[in-house]
């Protein structure tokens, strides 16, 4: 048996409440960090970037699928990756398995996309085998080198003002291991969760929590196939 203290239910509850104080402190610190992230400066993306999607050639602006924000995870499903073409990188595959239903992100005017250097037929076959439904594009230019993900995975966040795209945030290494939930993705975006309790700059879009939450197939304009079905449109 493991060397662990055994206590009464009352003592266990007392220990849990002591730890809860620290957990609440961590939650408040995480919220404060996200608020600071929403005040990060933006950098304009001036260089054109091309990708291949399921319906042909697209650019970075197309990856937004008409929404205000875009999150791009650079997954390693490339010719030199172990397991290719049957599998993507083990770590990137674990990330893909964790992704929540993208309709909830879409409801916050945010698109999540994956990008690799594997071909679209290989990506389509991989997605079907693994049950993944997020949009997944083929990098054909210098996007990976220019945005810090040529040799290692990473997640970039972008926003657009009309046709002008801006890079707003970037995480990699262990920062990516927390990704997957709707909240973790929204917390790295420039607009955040867009809920009224958040500390955001004046004029940012916000609505009450719970009121915008819905079943993933009930959002207006949602794709019944589970995300990515609008890719390349």
């Amino acid at each position: 048996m493991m060397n662990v203290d055994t206590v009464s239910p009352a003592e266990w509850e007392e220990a849990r409440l002591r730890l809860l104080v620290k957990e609440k402190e961590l939650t408040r610190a995480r919220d404060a960090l996200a608020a600071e992230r929403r005040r990060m400066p933006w950098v304009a993306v001036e260089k054109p970037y091309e990708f291949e999607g399921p319906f042909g050639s697209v650019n970075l602006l197309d990856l937004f699928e008409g929404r205000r924000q875009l999150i791009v995870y650079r997954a390693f499903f490339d010719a030199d990756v172990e397991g290719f073409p049957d599998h993507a990188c083990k770590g990137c595959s674990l990330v893909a398995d964790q992704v929540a239903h993208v309709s909830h992100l879409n409801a916050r005017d945010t698109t999540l996309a994956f990008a690799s250097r594997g071909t679209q037929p290989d990506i389509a076959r991989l997605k079907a085998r693994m049950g993944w439904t997020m949009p997944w594009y083929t990098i054909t230019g210098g996007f990976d080198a220019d945005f810090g993900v040529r040799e290692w995975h990473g997640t970039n966040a972008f926003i657009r003002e009309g046709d002008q795209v801006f890079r707003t945030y970037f995480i990699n290494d262990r920062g990516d291991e927390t990704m997957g939930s709707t909240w973790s993705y929204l917390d790295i975006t420039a607009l955040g969760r867009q809920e009224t309790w958040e500390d955001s700059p004046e004029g940012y879009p916000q609505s009450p929590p719970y009121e915008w939450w819905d079943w993933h197939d009930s959002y207006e304009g949602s794709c019944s196939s589970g995300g990515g079905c609008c890719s390349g449109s």
Side-chain angles (χ1 to χ4, degrees):
M1 183 175 176
M2 297 176 63
N3 185 22
V4 179
D5 290 339
T6 301
V7 297
S8 68
E11 290 172 315
W12 183 89
E13 180 65 11
E14 183 179 348
R16 186 190 72 85
L17 291 177
R18 286 197 303 270
L19 190 57
L20 182 60
V21 172
K22 296 181 179 180
E23 290 176 339
K24 291 294 186 180
E25 291 174 350
L26 178 60
T27 298
R28 288 190 288 270
R30 187 174 62 243
D31 290 342
L33 183 61
E36 187 173 349
R37 192 180 293 122
R38 290 189 290 276
R39 290 165 171 82
M40 277 278 294
W42 303 352
V43 58
V45 178
E46 304 290 359
K47 184 178 177 179
Y49 293 97
E50 296 295 324
F51 305 82
E52 285 295 323
F55 303 104
S57 180
V58 294
N59 58 33
L60 184 60
L61 188 62
D62 293 325
L63 269 58
F64 282 76
E65 296 183 347
R67 301 185 181 94
R68 182 80 186 280
Q69 298 190 122
L70 170 68
I71 300 168
V72 181
Y73 175 72
R74 199 308 195 198
F76 277 80
F77 181 55
D78 302 5
D80 58 350
V81 170
E82 179 185 0
F84 184 88
D86 295 325
H87 283 292
C89 153
K90 292 179 181 178
C92 294
S93 298
L94 179 59
V95 171
D97 278 336
Q98 296 178 156
V99 173
H101 204 289
V102 296
S103 289
H104 303 294
L105 288 173
N106 298 165
R108 294 279 87 178
D109 211 9
T110 302
T111 296
L112 172 69
F114 276 41
S116 299
R117 287 196 172 270
T119 67
Q120 280 298 298
D122 284 334
I123 289 172
R125 185 174 61 252
L126 177 69
K127 288 176 62 177
R129 174 181 178 176
M130 303 300 286
W132 298 330
T133 57
M134 74 287 286
W136 197 316
Y137 298 92
T138 301
I139 302 169
T140 60
F143 176 87
D144 48 1
D146 291 347
F147 290 97
V149 289
R150 178 170 55 183
E151 299 178 353
W152 195 244
H153 63 84
T155 304
N156 279 280
F158 302 91
I159 197 168
R160 68 182 181 93
E161 296 281 1
D163 290 343
Q164 178 63 65
V165 176
F166 299 87
R167 188 189 195 194
T168 61
Y169 206 65
F170 173 66
I171 60 169
N172 61 2
D173 295 334
R174 290 197 63 193
D176 272 333
E177 73 181 20
T178 64
M179 306 310 294
S181 77
T182 300
W183 310 124
S184 63
Y185 281 121
L186 290 176
D187 282 347
I188 68 165
T189 65
L191 301 180
R193 305 184 188 191
Q194 303 165 53
E195 294 186 340
T196 49
W197 63 269
E198 288 182 299
D199 174 14
S200 293
E202 184 176 356
Y204 274 40
Q206 289 187 325
S207 60
Y210 297 98
E211 289 189 7
W212 70 270
W213 303 1
D214 212 338
W215 297 286
H216 73 248
D217 60 352
S218 296
Y219 291 114
E220 183 178 356
S222 65
C223 298
S224 59
S225 66
C229 54
C230 301
S231 302
S233 61

